[in-house]
Amino acid sequence: MTEDLEESYRYPIGRFKPAEAFTPQNKMAWIGSIRSIPLLLDYCLENMDEEQLLVPYRKDGWNTIQVIHHIADSHMNAYIRMKLALTEEAPVVKPYDENLWAELPDVFEVPLNVSVTLIHALHRRWTALMDAMTDQDWNKIYIHPADGKGVPLWQMINLYSWHGKHHAEQILALRKRKGW
């Protein structure tokens, strides 16, 4: 497989490109994206059978079950980080190894629909919180220990609005390649 093809399988909507500024238009687009991700995932998973769900979206990549459980894990962490930043002064957040999390027993033992339901509920709570935030709230930060830099909440939500679409497109691209 060529590097370009591998890159397109891994990042079918391209790598994340952070916005340069927080604007009302960006904020609304990002919240709208977070709000729509559960429905997009429903569409991605429609009529997939167990065998299809176990096919990795790329060589050495996760299967669809792992991708969906990862989205639930990742977005729960983001939601908690947001709440910490809103209630504490520049909290240091706990990182985690997403690859190790994707191999834990719950990923393989818990039915996929549990994480899909969790994503629906989580995104409902998350968007309700974001809808109520002030412009000052969006500039509150948390500290990620990997680089020690403060991450404003508007930058975090920019990333997560991309993150959900990124993984959904991995599933959709796999389905298209396989003719499912």
Side-chain angles (χ1 to χ4, degrees), residues 24-36:
Q25 296 80 14
N26 283 346
K27 176 182 78 170
M28 295 309 294
W30 298 332
I31 294 171
S33 176
I34 295 292
R35 187 173 276 116
S36 68

Side-chain angles (χ1 to χ4, degrees), residues 114-148:
V114 172
S115 278
V116 171
T117 301
L118 188 148
I119 293 165
H120 274 272
L122 175 63
H123 282 231
R124 176 72 175 88
R125 296 262 324 263
W126 200 5
T127 56
L129 176 62
M130 289 187 284
D131 285 339
M133 288 170 59
T134 67
D135 286 349
Q136 288 177 324
D137 289 336
W138 286 101
N139 287 307
K140 292 185 177 183
I141 65 168
Y142 63 82
I143 309 294
H144 198 288
D147 60 13

Side-chain angles (χ1 to χ4, degrees), residues 8-13 36-48 52-53 55-58 62-64 67-68 71 164-180:
S8 72
Y9 284 9
R10 190 170 191 171
Y11 298 101
I13 63 170
S36 68
I37 288 167
L39 296 175
L40 177 58
L41 295 175
D42 288 344
Y43 173 75
C44 290
L45 299 171
E46 190 171 4
N47 297 319
M48 287 185 78
Q52 292 168 333
L53 292 170
V55 174
Y57 72 90
R58 66 177 176 89
W62 293 335
N63 63 44
T64 298
V67 169
I68 296 298
I71 293 168
K165 292 183 285 190
H166 158 71
H167 285 302
E169 191 58 39
Q170 288 172 334
I171 298 166
L172 290 172
L174 171 65
R175 292 187 70 158
K176 184 176 183 180
R177 288 193 307 273
K178 297 288 190 180
W180 300 335

